[in-house]
Amino acid sequence: MKKTLLTLVLLVMVMTVGAQSVKVDYHKGDVRMYKTNVSLSMGIPMQGEQKCGLTAATTYTVDEAGADGYIVELKADDYSTTGNTDLVNMVGGQFFETLKSTPAKLKLDKKGAITGLANEDAFIAAISSTVVEGINKMYADRPGLESQMPKAKLLMAANSQLTPEFVLNFFKNFTVFSLNGRDLANVKNADETIYDFFKVKSSYDVSSANGTTTITRTAVSNMTDDDLKGILKKQMSQAGQDVDDTQLEQIWGQLKAMGMTSCTIDMNDVSNFGNGGWQSSANTKATIKAVGATIKVNAATSLAQ
């Protein structure tokens, strides 16, 4: 259950939007440096509240620019965390850690939307190493964990999750380019699926003035019981705990008896864009109530001064 809650946090963190309302004009040699701050709290009945914080400094450098698109290097110059390690990892901590030593070479189309990684194999190998190192440390710090979940099983599940699609989706949704490529003017109550399986209703407002474009989005959960069961089963599998449909229904019944099968999200984010379509700032606030827990997320990204 805890892994499912943490995954919902990550999904909200990546619930940024795409918008061709932003017109990009990047040039070879362009460099933009950003600072990202994330704070998160999660309260679970009878278990109290857990908190974490993440601060990252990143640099985007346009390596190539042509008629068909761009290649942009993304690296993390600095990365630090506070609080609960599990929460940090589930909001992208392992990606930032990997980007310190292995920058990602992002392939963008001419609209500025991410289409792939030029160094896909190298980056996946690097983040796999980061994940394995983290799991080894976790088991070293918690001697009794092996009896609850064999480390070999968790390592196998973690590596199976790090597919090219999974890695690409992170960058599509958690970088300054995640708002590129779609026309969102006057879109209201749109059915959207975030990060492959999380369904929401989203509404957008796009405005431009004095060379700046602002996109505001509100989103609420649009998940059915079957959708939530699907997330639960997938996340248990990725944590090395495979369950069949009968076992899943038993778990769901237990959660339902405790009144813990609801999921609501209230979210608002505001993103601003300036010269050349580069993002100048983005702010997200969200409150999640899922399977008995209350999660609050505040995230802000801005150009470094």
Side-chain angles (χ1 to χ4, degrees), residues 248-291:
L248 179 64
E249 288 299 329
Q250 291 174 344
I251 295 170
W252 186 258
Q254 294 170 356
L255 292 173
K256 191 170 185 177
M258 294 184 289
M260 298 173 66
T261 54
S262 63
C263 175
T264 62
I265 289 179
D266 292 306
M267 174 192 164
N268 177 270
D269 64 36
V270 180
S271 298
N272 296 299
F273 300 83
N275 293 335
W278 284 99
Q279 187 180 91
S280 56
S281 65
N283 292 275
T284 297
K285 291 185 177 182
T287 298
I288 314 164
K289 295 184 178 180
V291 286

Side-chain angles (χ1 to χ4, degrees), residues 15-33:
M15 280 170 55
T16 50
V17 299
Q20 181 54 23
S21 303
V22 177
K23 302 296 190 295
V24 304
D25 184 23
Y26 306 145
H27 299 275
K28 183 175 181 179
D30 281 354
V31 177
R32 296 293 188 277
M33 302 175 68

Side-chain angles (χ1 to χ4, degrees), residues 100-205:
K100 287 171 62 179
S101 59
T102 306
K105 301 286 188 175
L106 306 175
K107 298 196 301 187
L108 281 60
D109 65 19
K110 61 183 180 180
K111 296 179 181 178
I114 294 176
T115 60
L117 269 70
N119 63 335
E120 180 181 281
D121 291 343
F123 188 84
I124 291 177
I127 193 170
S128 293
S129 178
T130 301
V131 170
V132 169
E133 182 179 343
I135 290 175
N136 285 336
K137 184 178 185 305
M138 179 174 66
Y139 276 80
D141 292 343
R142 305 174 190 176
L145 189 57
E146 178 70 26
S147 62
Q148 303 173 35
M149 169 60 66
K151 183 172 72 171
K153 191 172 184 180
L154 185 57
L155 286 169
M156 184 179 299
N159 279 323
S160 68
Q161 183 181 7
L162 290 172
T163 63
E165 181 181 15
F166 177 85
V167 172
L168 183 60
N169 279 342
F170 176 87
F171 290 113
K172 283 183 176 180
N173 291 285
F174 207 55
T175 65
V176 299
F177 304 125
S178 58
L179 295 170
N180 296 348
R182 292 168 54 197
D183 183 1
L184 295 172
N186 302 314
V187 174
K188 305 298 180 185
N189 295 316
D191 290 317
E192 295 187 334
T193 300
I194 305 299
Y195 219 67
D196 295 335
F197 49 69
F198 198 80
K199 297 178 181 178
V200 296
K201 289 277 190 182
S202 298
S203 295
Y204 304 93
D205 179 72

Side-chain angles (χ1 to χ4, degrees), residues 36-51:
T36 297
N37 291 289
V38 179
S39 63
L40 182 151
S41 66
M42 181 172 71
I44 301 176
M46 303 184 69
Q47 294 187 34
E49 186 179 59
Q50 301 179 60
K51 296 182 178 181

Side-chain angles (χ1 to χ4, degrees), residues 3-20:
K3 287 292 183 183
T4 301
L5 290 172
L6 298 181
T7 299
L8 293 177
V9 172
L10 174 60
L11 296 177
V12 171
M13 290 293 302
V14 302
M15 280 170 55
T16 50
V17 299
Q20 181 54 23

